[in-house]
Amino acid sequence: MAADGFQSGAFQHTVKSPALFAGVGVHTGEYTQVAVRPAETDAGVVFVRLDVTDRDNRVPVSPEAVCKTQLGTVITNAAGVTVATIEHLMAALVMSGIDNAVVELDGPEMPIMDGSSWPFLKILDRAGRRPQAAARRFIELIDTVEVTDGDKRAALKPAMRFEVAFAIEFPTAVIGRQEIDLAMDEAAFRRELADCRTFGFLHEVEALRAMGLARGGTMDNCVVIEGDRVLNPEGLRRPDEFVRHKALDAIGDLYVLGAPILGRFEGELAGHGINNQLVRALAARPDAWRVVTFADEIDVAV
């Protein structure tokens, strides 16, 4: 079996053993314990709020479940139970080849960890992956789907593999205009994107906290910019860490579709909001994609 979880193709996978971790939410500031547990075939990713006992506490992931996209992706169920900031874990799950998982947590928001997907990858690595007796489904693009919102644009286009292109522009010398264009598999994700952290501007923090956001944000889990300088003593992990984190976010946001993409994602000044507009537009265009499997290519001796 191929070492690459994203491209190892034919079988669905779940975690071999529970992946356990804990930390504070970047917006709520609440300390939350999490267990990513094995799930049955075709279950997808389902979040379960263990602290909610008076109504349905299961929140399955889907494009329609996304209810808020301000500074993070929030999902909800029909009972109004929400789970916030799921995108960094979702990116780690899809790129490490985890199709089915139950994510139990005892609070309203996923821990931010260091602001990237890297801690989640390490935790999932320790838990291991288990192949399941069902074909892995991919969403293959057969026509372009594109959404725009002012100067923001996001698109999914046909391609022979998963590709991610992104461009951002901010009026600070620390960022300016940054662009990346990458063929993306598990190895590339680990090498190019997984350790790139979320970022914010110091002048926005007070306003965000007045809105009940960024209460857990610190320089341990966020790159903080003031004017034309980075305040974090350790500096950046990469000169273009900012655009790379935006690409990481997009990969997590796409996985609310419930299957990995075979196609090309393009984002121009995009964020969680337009990413969700895109996945909803794709779901509404069944002529633009098809579900494919690679069951014939499987080596049953996994």
Side-chain angles (χ1 to χ4, degrees):
M1 181 178 176
D4 189 298
F6 180 80
Q7 303 285 23
S8 62
F11 279 139
Q12 293 180 27
H13 285 77
T14 189
V15 290
K16 185 182 293 185
S17 60
L20 309 175
F21 56 96
V24 299
V26 68
H27 294 306
T28 61
E30 291 190 25
Y31 183 82
T32 301
Q33 299 181 83
V34 183
V36 182
R37 300 190 183 277
E40 298 300 314
T41 58
D42 300 322
V45 179
V46 180
F47 288 80
V48 180
R49 285 276 304 275
L50 298 180
D51 58 314
V52 175
T53 57
D54 61 339
R55 51 197 157 136
D56 182 12
N57 63 355
R58 293 173 61 84
V59 189
V61 172
S62 71
E64 299 74 31
V66 177
C67 61
K68 293 181 183 177
T69 54
Q70 183 182 27
L71 302 176
T73 296
V74 184
I75 56 174
T76 189
N77 65 9
V81 175
T82 61
V83 181
T85 320
I86 67 168
E87 59 273 12
H88 301 165
L89 175 63
M90 292 294 288
L93 288 170
V94 66
M95 296 313 301
S96 57
I98 300 296
D99 303 277
N100 306 303
V102 175
V103 183
E104 298 177 346
L105 67 164
D106 63 358
E109 184 180 19
M110 285 293 298
I112 191 62
M113 311 304 275
D114 75 345
S116 78
S117 285
W118 191 248
F120 299 122
L121 283 178
K122 291 192 291 185
I123 292 159
L124 292 170
D125 286 347
R126 288 199 296 270
R129 292 189 312 133
R130 176 169 60 83
Q132 298 175 287
R136 188 176 208 206
R137 295 185 295 265
F138 292 79
I139 295 172
E140 180 184 25
L141 271 293
I142 54 179
D143 195 9
T144 296
V145 176
E146 183 175 39
V147 293
T148 58
D149 182 2
D151 57 357
K152 301 175 183 177
R153 181 182 72 89
L156 283 165
K157 299 180 176 182
M160 295 295 292
R161 59 191 179 182
F162 184 36
E163 300 174 358
V164 177
F166 217 103
I168 62 171
E169 191 164 359
F170 286 88
T172 167
V174 174
I175 304 178
R177 184 171 178 86
Q178 297 183 354
E179 300 180 19
I180 57 166
D181 193 331
L182 299 167
M184 191 51 51
D185 58 17
E186 182 179 1
F189 181 74
R190 289 173 181 267
R191 182 177 65 247
E192 304 286 353
L193 301 181
D195 66 342
C196 295
R197 298 161 293 174
T198 192
F199 61 94
F201 295 87
L202 186 63
H203 69 271
E204 297 175 345
V205 170
E206 287 186 7
L208 290 173
R209 288 185 173 164
M211 296 166 61
L213 299 172
R215 290 177 176 172
T218 71
M219 282 188 282
D220 292 328
N221 56 41
C222 182
V223 177
V224 181
I225 303 163
E226 182 182 29
D228 289 332
R229 65 193 182 106
V230 170
L231 297 186
N232 302 58
E234 76 279 10
L236 298 175
R237 293 176 176 175
R238 302 161 187 266
D240 58 353
E241 184 170 0
F242 307 102
V243 70
R244 289 173 184 267
H245 181 78
K246 287 287 192 177
L248 182 161
D249 277 346
I251 290 170
D253 287 343
L254 290 176
Y255 199 32
V256 301
L257 286 162
I261 297 288
L262 286 179
R264 176 178 173 84
F265 171 84
E266 294 179 354
E268 173 82 22
L269 312 183
H272 299 295
I274 199 165
N275 291 344
N276 188 246
Q277 290 178 41
L278 179 63
V279 297
R280 287 173 182 254
L282 182 71
R285 282 275 317 275
D287 62 306
W289 54 277
R290 63 188 173 196
V291 174
V292 296
T293 66
F294 298 99
D296 307 284
E297 300 175 14
I298 230 164
D299 175 4
V300 291
V302 289

